[in-house]
């Protein structure tokens, strides 16, 4: 375990508005932050819906000093990036503090990142507007796949600002060979009945989307209101990955009124699999009534594209996909 001239652990008392810190000797400020840091127990700082808010943290009350490694429920954690912002989100305080920009690589050394604060408005879901900048922090990626942060006192103009923490682990198995098939026809983008809510679903692991037995995927563009068996249909904000990308994180948008991303739910992880399908690590949505949609644009066969069909949306396109795949690759020469 990395140590300084005085070993320390920083903890937070969830029953108090003022975190408690064991003193540490930080005289040797020239040391590698990956070797000299404080362990910071960030229990209660994971993003949750504000209506489940039980927070008491206010990071303007903390006497920050030096570098910190975050832990959440005993697991190594990190400050989430901006795509983690969701409607009605809190992280144990009121204003949720997120990292602007990607985490660095080990070869990047120490980098500076802006911090933005987002706080919920119970009358409006437009929480994720980047207009409340806090004080910047420094970040370093360390050998062993973790990060350390030089945390500072946030801007006092933000109400009860709190650094968020999430655990982003690597599965010990390949999600492409260990998933649950999710075949619920009401999730189809053309389905108009129902008020289902995925916040009440006990998600566990990875899922492959099907529609009436046929493989499909989440849409990557706006879905009409009151489709997918729910009031707020959720679609993938960003493109699906390639196989070479491995596991990626994507934002989730929900259409309401005239705004295709009026609501934002917690991000999910996605992986492309051999055989032209995807698996998703679904999580409880941050609000109701909202549900993940099934049905989107299919990728055309590699290297060639049909002169007639362009792998259009939804399930009938599967027929054309396989028809033209056979036509181009297996037709008699």
């Amino acid at each position: 375990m990395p140590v300084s001239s005085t070993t320390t652990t920083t903890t937070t008392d969830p029953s108090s508005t003022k975190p408690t810190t064991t003193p540490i000797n930080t005289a040797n400020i020239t040391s590698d932050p990956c070797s000299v840091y404080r362990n910071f127990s960030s229990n209660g700082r994971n993003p949750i819906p504000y209506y489940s808010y039980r927070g008491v943290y206010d990071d303007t009350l903390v006497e920050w000093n030096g570098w910190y490694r975050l832990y959440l429920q005993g697991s190594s954690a990190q400050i989430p990036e901006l795509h983690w912002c969701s409607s009605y989100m809190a992280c144990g305080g009121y204003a949720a503090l997120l990292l602007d920009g990607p985490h660095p690589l080990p070869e990047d050394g120490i980098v500076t990142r802006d911090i933005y604060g987002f706080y919920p408005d119970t009358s409006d879901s437009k929480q994720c507007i980047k207009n409340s900048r806090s004080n910047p922090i420094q970040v370093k990626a360390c050998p062993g796949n973790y990060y350390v942060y030089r945390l500072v006192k946030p801007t006092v103009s933000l109400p009860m600002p709190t650094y968020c923490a999430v655990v982003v682990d690597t599965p010990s198995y390949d999600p492409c060979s260990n998933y649950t098939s999710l075949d619920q026809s009401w999730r189809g983008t053309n389905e108009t009945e129902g008020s289902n809510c995925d916040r009440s679903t006990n998600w566990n692991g990875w899922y492959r989307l099907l529609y009436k037995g046929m493989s499909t995927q989440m849409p990557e563009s706006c879905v009409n209101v009151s489709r997918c068996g729910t009031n707020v249909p959720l679609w993938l904000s960003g493109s699906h990955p390639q196989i070479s990308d491995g596991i990626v994180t994507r934002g989730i948008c929900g259409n309401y009124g005239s705004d295709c991303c009026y609501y934002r739910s917690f991000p999910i992880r996605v992986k492309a699999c051999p055989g032209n399908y995807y698996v998703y690590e679904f999580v409880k949505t941050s609000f109701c009534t909202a549900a993940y949609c099934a049905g989107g644009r299919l990728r055309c066969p590699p290297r060639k594209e049909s002169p007639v069909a362009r792998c259009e949306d939804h399930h009938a396109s599967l027929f054309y996909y396989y028809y033209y795949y056979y036509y181009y690759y297996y037709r008699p020469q």
Side-chain angles (χ1 to χ4, degrees), residues 207-227:
Y207 296 82
R208 177 179 178 180
L209 284 176
L210 303 174
Y211 181 81
K212 297 182 179 180
M214 303 185 73
S215 187
T216 188
Q217 66 185 61
M218 284 192 69
E220 298 175 355
S221 57
C222 191
V223 179
N224 290 336
V225 175
S226 298
R227 299 294 179 94

Side-chain angles (χ1 to χ4, degrees), residues 16 19 38 50 60 90 106 112 142-143 149 151 153 165 190 197 282 311:
S16 169
R38 289 169 165 166
Y50 179 69
T60 63
T112 300
C142 299
Y149 304 88
L151 301 178
K153 184 176 294 187
N190 288 328
C197 183
F282 292 128
C311 305

Side-chain angles (χ1 to χ4, degrees), residues 26-48:
T26 57
N28 187 9
I29 60 175
T30 60
S31 299
D32 180 4
C34 294
S35 301
V36 182
Y37 58 77
R38 289 169 165 166
N39 292 330
F40 188 84
S41 176
S42 51
N43 293 345
R45 292 173 177 265
N46 53 301
I48 60 171

Side-chain angles (χ1 to χ4, degrees), residues 156-180:
V156 295
S157 60
L158 294 171
M160 294 181 67
T162 308
Y163 292 109
C164 296
V166 295
V167 175
V168 182
D169 56 357
T170 301
S172 59
Y173 57 88
D174 182 4
C176 291
S177 57
N178 191 343
Y179 60 80
T180 300

